[in-house]
Amino acid sequence: MTTKSFILSLCAISAALTITSCTDHSRSGFPELDEWAREVVSEKYNELGYPVNQDIRLKGFYEWYTANNLDIAGLNNVGDPFSGKPSALLSSHKFEREVIEYFAPFYGIDKDEVWGLISNSGTDGNCNGIYFGVNYLRNKTGKEPVFYVSDEAHYSNMRLAHVMNLDIRLIRSDDMGRMIPEELDKAIDPTRPCLIVYAMGSTFKGAIDDQAALNAVLAKYPGMEVYRHVDAALFGGYLPFTEHRDMVDKRVLNYQSIAISGHKFFGMDEPNGLLLTTREVYDNQTQFDVPYLNADMKMISCSRSSTSALKFWWLIKNVGSGQWEKDAAQLLDNTAYFKEQLDKIGYPCWLDEYSNTVIFKRPCQDLVSKYYLACSSDERFGGDLCHIVVMQHVSRDRIDNFIRDLSASLDK
Ligand SMILES: *Cc1c(COP(=O)(O)O)cnc(C)c1O
């Protein structure tokens, strides 16, 4: 072998090694899958109509997860993370419990008093909260509760009342979407226990029920047993990190459970959520021993995600309350900015207090499609409407782009 051919063959070997050691993981071998992935990533910042935080901060988590081969381990958080008993399956219960204990004080619940879990979604949190309320009231009074919720609350509450066959009283809300206290008063049946959901906020307008005023109505019926569940899927994420934190504080509002989505403010990359309640509520549930799981299964789901618990724990350690305070301030600031820009061009728009949801007259279909706008209509606001939910990724630049597109569509 000549020196030249020796060097050439060395090059060939090292090139081959480079190729095998740098496999391109972005190519799955399924072009339609790769194409879809590229589209999602290039489109994500256009999504303005739904409360999805697109500033996901979980890259480090995924690197850690795969570096530790957890991607080839089957985990499941079935059962009570607070039971202290070994789980029937491999779980991350320890971290789930720490997550619940970390968040409890942000909602005015003592660490020693809290019970909770990481739910599959805001809806799943509502499902557990409402179901706990029914059992709590039944076990305390021996009577079936009446279920009160506003007509602008998220539809999951009505759906769940249907599934549980509850006696529902839909209470009318005012123009801006808040339950009307006088209407609640008219609907109250004081002979039966009261299970009430407070909307925080309402789905389309982003209204927050005036819990103090509604509590004052309930206080007129001291003999009536009450359970309050707060549906705080979106607002329950950011309000604890603002000066308005009293609005989700159990010591101030005296609610029994609260549900918050993980994939809204907190920036989970897939659905999950927090359900927080108290030991007292949990201990007044009907016992549900399942021997083969070695557990008392008071919650509704059997399997729950271990990965969600780990991601939440990761975010607490790597993002944490300091950053969430900044996020919350920025999101409310940008909401005010967006409203100002719409006002400047004289475009009809409305904004509820404490809300990051701006509602406005529905623009042309091209804009609705381009920005994934959520639509509704309300004659009190002149008919067809849309809204934008100002999440972390809805920066001033993106707001300016939207306003430019909107102005251009009006000139046409
Ligand atoms: C988003 C939302 C829900 C539903 O939560 P999911 O996590 O999507 O199931 C329920 N209530 C309110 C107030 C919401 O904003």
Side-chain angles (χ1 to χ4, degrees), residues 51 121-124 126 154 156 200-201 231 233-234 261 263-264 272:
S121 64
T123 302
D124 184 49
N126 286 342
H154 189 267
S156 61
M200 185 171 239
D231 173 13
L234 167 61
S261 294
H263 51 289
K264 292 184 176 174
N272 56 37

Side-chain angles (χ1 to χ4, degrees), residues 185-220:
D185 202 0
K186 277 193 236 160
I188 291 278
D189 174 355
T191 67
R192 288 167 61 190
C194 158
L195 172 56
I196 188 165
V197 166
Y198 288 149
M200 185 171 239
S202 67
T203 312
F204 192 74
K205 293 175 184 157
I208 295 182
D209 282 341
D210 183 348
Q211 295 186 52
L214 299 169
N215 282 344
V217 170
L218 299 176
K220 289 164 68 178

Side-chain angles (χ1 to χ4, degrees), residues 266-280:
F266 292 114
M268 288 287 171
D269 59 334
E270 60 181 339
N272 56 37
L274 300 168
L275 170 76
L276 303 178
T277 183
T278 60
R279 268 276 143 210
E280 201 252 329

